[in-house]
Amino acid sequence: MLNILVIGSGGREHSIGKKFKESDKVGEVYCAKGNPGMASDGIKLVDIAEDDHEALIAFAKENNIDWAFIGPEIPLMAGIVDDFEAAGLKAFGPHKNAAMIEGSKDFAKNLMNRYNIPTANHQTFTDYKAARAYVEAKGAPIVIKADGLAAGKGVVVAETLDQAVEALKDMLLDHAFGGSGASVVVEDFLDGQEFSLLAFVNGEEVYPMVIAQDHKRAYDGDRGPNTGGMGAYAPVPQIPQEMVDKAVEEIVKPAAAGMKADGNYFRGILYAGLIATKDGAKVIEFNARFGDPETQVVLPRLTSDFALIIDDLLNDRKPVVTFKEDGYTLGVVVAADGYPGSYDKGAKIPDTTKLVDSTAIFAGVANDAEGKLVANGGRVYLVFAEGDTLKEAQEKVYNELNDLKNDGMFYRTDIGAKAF
Ligand code: AMP
Ligand code: GLY
């Protein structure tokens, strides 16, 4: 039996832990720090911070953990996989050097250039005047990205030249994103629908997952500020399979092979954020981990054993990776009022045990003094359902979600709409 330690505390990690628990090869699933909403799925919470590698390693040793699964990017960037290995333990996710594919936009762009991976034309700047001249020559719409991790807030899709110049000022003169704003990538605006193509990767070996579409803006109709993601569905019927197959061949495989050739062997989940342009799929970003909320709709569609896949990859065996071919999965995020700006904590989480056709996955929740779940983060929970059609999945989620009391929280009412 495998004993697993999941690192992270959001909805993504709840989904990951829940999927591991489905395997009859799995004993205990621990999650550090996790959240109290996970407990009802049998996941055991471990009160150790995700940046306390030493304490996590000690816990793993004491509890006969076979391997750790790293959910978020921050510990990957901090070298948690390197530290586990140095202590003689296994952890799934890229090493620090390979996590750079997410951690530095410049690193990712460089890789894409050298291996002819389709992406937006771009240039990197550290000098405000030079960046401003380039942006003025290019015109709007144009995209400005802070280099380095900025928790999803480092990207400005400028619709006007004024907005673009403002963003350059923020990032290069005012250092609005701290150290991560020291250089910016300015890139062409790509027109088309977004989709997320995730794959299990071990060096050159690539095992693609079913594609998903996230909804990054806070409000209906893709209005409002960018967020971590307000809902997702999988698969994405309006993206032709041909385009997906081509993206695997021309984007994911060369990226994995290129990382290996460059001495940045990647073992983990490679997430390609793509735009379906009229000239085919092009990359807007790579992530070195599962997406949130994509995971919550992709993993329920996995029909082979998730824990065995990870165990195989960690032991350089070829895993069996299969997904449901019929139907759709759709999930809607419920967020605290004010998110992604400052938001209140403490809103009561409705009784999700009443859900019949849908399932709740928890993220920013805590227990109050009486042991009841209350909101404690920006994205609070997600409700997902499966259906024979996307419409059916969507109706199942909204029918039940609309009946729950979500005071102090909000959600988009149009998740999935771009497919119709
Ligand atoms: P990122 O953090 O790189 O995922 O960017 C956040 C969001 O900005 C993406 O989800 C897209 O909606 C948008 N975006 C980023 N780059 C581009 C681009 N080159 N063209 C159009 N939209 C983009
Ligand atoms: N849902 C977008 C991300 O996880 O980066």
Side-chain angles (χ1 to χ4, degrees):
M1 294 291 255
L2 295 167
N3 294 321
I4 302 170
L5 172 62
V6 178
I7 309 294
S9 60
R12 167 181 51 208
E13 288 76 22
H14 186 176
S15 263
I16 288 168
K18 184 175 160 72
K19 194 72 184 178
F20 283 144
K21 284 300 274 184
E22 284 175 16
S23 169
D24 57 10
K25 307 287 189 304
V26 170
E28 298 294 351
V29 175
Y30 297 94
C31 190
K33 282 187 165 205
N35 72 66
M38 297 175 174
S40 58
D41 283 311
I43 300 163
K44 295 195 168 157
L45 304 190
V46 179
D47 192 14
I48 302 174
E50 64 187 42
D51 62 0
D52 193 347
H53 300 187
E54 212 174 303
L56 291 168
I57 286 166
F59 177 87
K61 286 187 171 164
E62 279 158 25
N63 292 275
N64 296 316
I65 297 296
D66 289 276
W67 38 260
F69 185 101
I70 318 302
E73 63 277 18
I74 307 266
L76 292 169
M77 302 272 319
I80 194 170
V81 175
D82 311 60
D83 290 348
F84 265 65
E85 286 178 2
L89 298 172
K90 287 189 166 134
F92 186 79
H95 292 111
K96 188 175 181 172
N97 61 328
M100 286 290 279
I101 196 170
E102 169 164 4
S104 164
K105 304 261 182 209
D106 200 31
F107 176 101
K109 283 292 189 187
N110 208 312
L111 178 86
M112 288 188 271
N113 274 354
R114 284 181 299 107
Y115 296 100
N116 293 319
I117 295 170
T119 184
N121 287 325
H122 68 280
Q123 211 151 311
T124 305
F125 295 94
T126 51
D127 179 56
Y128 168 72
K129 275 195 189 135
R132 182 175 176 146
Y134 178 81
V135 161
E136 278 170 351
K138 280 270 176 181
I142 194 154
V143 181
I144 320 279
K145 301 185 175 187
D147 201 21
L149 288 180
K153 290 179 195 142
V155 176
V156 174
V157 180
E159 278 151 35
T160 65
L161 212 48
D162 280 351
Q163 284 171 3
V165 170
E166 202 56 38
L168 290 177
K169 272 188 194 151
D170 281 354
M171 292 181 198
L172 288 174
L173 296 181
D174 301 337
H175 298 284
F177 299 102
S180 75
S183 79
V184 299
V185 175
V186 179
E187 71 178 35
D188 291 355
F189 175 77
L190 297 175
D191 197 16
Q193 286 205 24
E194 266 182 86
F195 66 104
S196 307
L197 170 57
L198 284 74
F200 298 98
V201 171
N202 187 16
E204 272 166 322
E205 285 171 33
V206 165
Y207 304 88
M209 301 185 211
V210 60
I211 62 166
Q213 186 173 64
D214 187 11
H215 297 63
K216 291 245 168 77
R217 301 295 196 102
Y219 314 130
D220 283 9
D222 285 343
R223 283 190 295 268
N226 262 320
T227 69
M230 294 298 291
Y233 59 99
V236 188
Q238 68 275 31
I239 307 292
Q241 189 55 42
E242 213 189 352
M243 184 182 277
V244 179
D245 294 342
K246 215 169 160 215
V248 170
E249 294 304 319
E250 295 181 359
I251 294 172
V252 186
K253 286 188 181 171
M259 291 291 281
K260 184 180 167 194
D262 292 349
N264 297 315
Y265 191 103
F266 189 100
R267 173 160 47 207
I269 307 297
L270 184 61
Y271 165 139
L274 305 174
I275 289 189
T277 75
K278 59 178 181 13
D279 304 318
K282 294 191 178 177
V283 178
I284 50 172
E285 63 167 349
F286 281 115
N287 292 321
R289 47 150 180 96
F290 268 113
D292 189 338
E294 288 94 330
T295 308
Q296 291 90 310
V297 296
V298 167
L299 278 186
R301 305 194 62 75
L302 181 67
T303 45
S304 53
D305 189 312
F306 183 39
L308 287 189
I309 293 175
I310 304 305
D311 198 57
D312 284 342
L313 292 169
L314 280 168
N315 290 290
D316 291 320
R317 296 183 300 255
K318 289 191 190 311
V320 178
V321 179
T322 54
F323 285 88
K324 259 178 226 171
E325 302 213 335
D326 299 325
Y328 294 86
T329 307
L330 182 139
V332 176
V333 170
V334 181
D337 282 345
Y339 175 78
S342 60
Y343 52 81
D344 289 338
K345 294 182 177 179
K348 284 198 170 55
I349 310 300
D351 179 11
T352 56
T353 58
K354 289 194 300 202
L355 301 174
V356 179
D357 288 330
S358 60
T359 308
I361 296 289
F362 293 97
V365 296
N367 277 330
D368 68 5
E370 294 157 26
K372 295 227 168 70
L373 283 185
V374 293
N376 191 47
R379 292 189 290 177
V380 180
Y381 72 104
L382 167 144
V383 173
F384 79 89
E386 304 192 40
D388 293 336
T389 63
L390 188 58
K391 193 95 216 154
E392 188 190 330
Q394 190 190 48
E395 277 169 9
K396 280 184 182 172
V397 171
Y398 282 118
N399 282 345
E400 296 199 317
L401 188 51
N402 291 339
D403 278 345
L404 297 178
K405 241 174 123 55
N406 283 304
D407 295 343
M409 297 179 278
F410 75 102
Y411 52 89
R412 279 182 62 160
T413 65
D414 66 345
I415 300 303
K418 281 201 278 288
F420 303 118

